Amino acid sequence: MHPADGIDQEKRLAAEAAALLVDDHMRVGLGTGSTVSHLLPVLAARRLDVVCVATSPTTAALARGLGLAVAPFDHLARLDIAIDGADQVAPDFWLIKGGGGAHTREKIVACAAERFVVIVSSDKLVDRLTGPVPLELLGFGLEATRRSIGSDAACKLRSAPPTPDGGVLADYTGEIEDPHALACRLAATAGVVEHGLFPPRLVSEVVVARQGQVEHLYPTSSPT
Ligand code: 5RP
């Protein structure tokens, strides 16, 4: 088997396991990415009475196409569960998300959820976060914001269309010595709409598949 097929199979297994965590009448947050794209058909096939909110137009279209009810995320204050992929998961459960550029909406949805479930293939488990860290920036003052973040090299603009919220996608490519300190610095930088560092306190569990087996990992303590 080609290694990429093995990874895709792991994504599918993790997604299938997470789909079983959804019950009737739940309000469900749907993430974005290839792992979530495995979740959607399995969730739809369960024919539960659920209302979903989607973190991207792509996810919304896929979910609706499968018959899932997708509501706008403006009047719902809380979600029962949110399920999403990740780019990297550190041993202390800090995450990097936003490879698909949806991290702002993904963080809002994760924060609103009673239970935030991260679904990953085994290659996403890393010894330490190495970046890049996705950023969404405001177009207004863009160069000034990049300068505040660091050098041009430390904040590379993506050649990607604006986000659905009009933001500019970029990546922080500097060192991640301390994720908490970097998250605070990025969050405090004017012009940064959101960054892709997700703290352990947001994470309820990580569902990871490795060579055909699914494991559920739980953060034991969440200092940040
Ligand atoms: C999108 C994300 C994705 O969850 C992350 O990039 C993982 O993607 P994939 O499931 O395709 O590996 O954060 O903004």
Side-chain angles (χ1 to χ4, degrees), residues 1 6 9-10 12-14 122 208-215:
M1 195 193 318
Q9 170 89 332
E10 289 184 351
R12 191 175 55 74
L13 283 177
S122 60
V208 55
R210 196 194 314 264
Q211 296 177 347
Q213 301 294 320
V214 174
E215 278 177 75

Side-chain angles (χ1 to χ4, degrees), residues 88-174:
Q88 295 182 28
V89 180
D92 58 4
F93 291 85
W94 272 92
L95 312 178
I96 291 181
K97 287 189 45 55
H103 52 282
T104 299
R105 290 186 177 202
E106 290 172 338
K107 197 176 277 185
I108 294 169
V109 163
C111 287
E114 299 295 332
R115 189 174 179 187
F116 176 47
V117 179
V118 180
I119 48 177
V120 288
S121 46
S122 60
D123 60 318
K124 302 291 183 69
L125 302 186
V126 296
D127 293 337
R128 55 182 290 269
L129 301 183
T130 53
V133 177
L135 301 172
E136 181 168 349
L137 309 175
L138 217 57
F140 181 84
L142 184 60
E143 286 311 312
T145 303
R146 291 179 72 199
R147 188 158 177 266
S148 304
I149 290 168
S151 61
D152 274 4
C155 178
K156 290 207 166 78
L157 295 180
R158 283 193 204 176
S159 63
T163 69
D165 304 300
V168 176
L169 288 170
D171 288 290
Y172 171 81
T173 55

Side-chain angles (χ1 to χ4, degrees), residues 11 32-36 84-87 96-103 106 119 124:
K11 290 182 179 188
T32 291
S34 57
T35 317
V36 167
D84 201 352
D87 299 304
I96 291 181
K97 287 189 45 55
H103 52 282
E106 290 172 338
I119 48 177
K124 302 291 183 69

